[in-house]
Amino acid sequence: MDDLVEEETETSVQKKKTQKSAAEDVFRQTKTGTSSALFYDKDLPEDLSVGGSVGGMKVLQIVHEPAVNQYAVIALTLLSASEWVGVPSANAQENSGTAQQLSDECAEAGEVGWHIPTRAEAQQIRQLCSDELLESERYLCDDGAFTFARDSKSVSKAGTKKRYALRLVLEARFVMPQP
């Protein structure tokens, strides 16, 4: 019986080492200058789709990446469930670093690496979430120096005095054993 327990422990340790190795390989292969959250063996919803949600966060994009060490890798771009209002832009005369500080300190769903949406991500947010999630008039994007609106395709330079809303995005990768 002791041999069986020892064998199970070795298998468990080996699995953790393999997951760590796969995570390091995935992170090296997919790092694009921003942090990426890595999730292991988490159950994704069977009906996972762009516009759907994972843990209360809206799915903006799904990319099936090449397998690494027999692990399937699915990259998701997620929109935070949290919204901040009254945030000065990066062009503001005072507190111009507030949006960046919020993204640096955000740990929604226990994950770090959240960032201010790029212009392309802002376009995805506007298309997928216009009525249901975007309650404010204008949102910060592009390092907090520009804004987008739920009812407009244009991206405008943010003002120096006006305050805006902020929703953050996260690049997350789910690493799972292949079936």
Side-chain angles (χ1 to χ4, degrees), residues 60-128:
L60 300 177
Q61 184 176 27
I62 301 171
V63 177
H64 293 271
E65 297 184 347
V68 176
N69 292 345
Q70 295 144 7
Y71 282 81
V73 181
I74 300 174
L76 303 179
T77 302
L78 302 172
L79 177 68
S80 67
S82 301
E83 178 174 302
W84 292 264
V85 293
V87 180
S89 75
N91 306 329
Q93 296 168 354
E94 294 181 17
N95 301 319
S96 60
T98 301
Q100 186 59 52
Q101 183 178 357
L102 287 169
S103 70
D104 291 345
E105 294 174 357
C106 184
E108 186 170 318
E111 298 301 327
V112 296
W114 293 90
H115 65 270
I116 300 167
T118 63
R119 288 181 192 212
E121 290 167 335
Q123 184 71 2
Q124 290 174 320
I125 294 167
R126 188 194 64 73
Q127 289 174 348
L128 295 171

